[in-house]
Amino acid sequence: MVNIYYEADVDKSALSDRKVAVLGYGSQGHAHALNLKESGIDVRVGLREGSSSAAKVADAGLAVASIADAVAEADVIMMLMPDTEMAAIYESDIEANLSDGDALLFAHGFNIRFDLIKPPAGVDVCMVAPKGPGHLVRRTYTEGGGVPALIAVEQDASGKAKDLALAYADAIGGSRSGILETTFTEETETD
């Protein structure tokens, strides 16, 4: 039987004192960053140098930094750049800036499922995957609803990775309609 979680099932404190870096400001990135901000989460957006999205991020009232700087100052890092670019960006800007106790989040399981990214043992590795495009995630959140989301935990270094994934999914609106538990493998192979 599939576990489905709603707002009453979420420990919001698992995310409330954390610093989140949303890497990328495309379809999912803008929705995650804005929904997190409006949920009271300390969020910054990490972009590549010279990104055309920097002005949009600043206009939205969000902090913007280079990917490396955003990762260094955050302890929860959500990877929302294209799957085909993630491994190279991880190697160049993310890996050296991770610390034990950090959490690395994904919205799709591909890079973990196929071992293209291998996070260190002291880092939680989770997935929070809304089941809709970013504009829908954003719109339904602003209307008081939410898009259902999948969560998965691949590496639970802290012993609290599932609580963190649930709190993140809640902060972007997922618990308003339901959060379903899955695995990185199942999400990747059925997507």
Side-chain angles (χ1 to χ4, degrees):
M1 171 162 264
V2 174
N3 292 323
I4 303 175
Y5 303 93
Y6 296 96
E7 288 177 276
D9 302 312
V10 176
D11 176 5
K12 295 175 190 297
S13 71
L15 185 62
S16 62
D17 293 332
R18 309 284 299 260
K19 294 177 181 173
V20 177
V22 171
L23 306 183
Y25 201 69
S27 175
Q28 288 292 328
H30 90 280
H32 285 235
L34 292 170
N35 292 5
L36 288 164
K37 178 184 176 200
E38 291 175 18
S39 291
I41 305 303
D42 180 2
V43 63
R44 73 263 312 119
V45 176
L47 298 174
R48 285 182 268 211
E49 298 298 331
S51 171
S52 61
S53 296
K56 291 182 219 169
V57 174
D59 288 346
L62 294 159
V64 63
S66 70
I67 291 173
D69 289 346
V71 172
E73 65 184 47
D75 54 13
V76 176
I77 297 92
M78 173 53 98
M79 307 268 290
L80 293 174
M81 65 279 293
D83 282 330
T84 55
E85 299 173 16
M86 258 186 221
I89 293 170
Y90 176 81
E91 288 178 20
S92 66
D93 295 317
I94 298 168
E95 188 172 28
N97 291 298
L98 289 173
S99 301
D100 284 353
D102 285 352
L104 194 58
L105 277 60
F106 297 83
H108 181 41
F110 182 85
N111 278 278
I112 295 296
R113 167 65 182 88
F114 293 107
D115 294 322
L116 300 173
I117 293 176
K118 297 176 184 175
V123 172
D124 287 339
V125 180
C126 306
M127 180 173 43
V128 178
K131 295 314 296 171
H135 69 274
L136 185 62
V137 171
R138 179 66 183 144
R139 188 183 82 231
T140 57
Y141 178 91
T142 62
E143 294 170 348
V147 171
L150 300 176
I151 63 160
V153 174
E154 183 73 14
Q155 183 167 288
D156 188 6
S158 69
K160 297 180 181 181
K162 182 177 172 182
D163 291 341
L164 177 65
L166 284 168
Y168 187 102
D170 173 76
I172 62 169
S175 64
R176 296 172 180 177
S177 56
I179 302 167
L180 290 81
E181 197 168 3
T182 188
T183 66
F184 273 71
T185 297
E186 186 174 71
E187 187 275 340
T188 302
E189 294 177 2
T190 59
D191 186 40

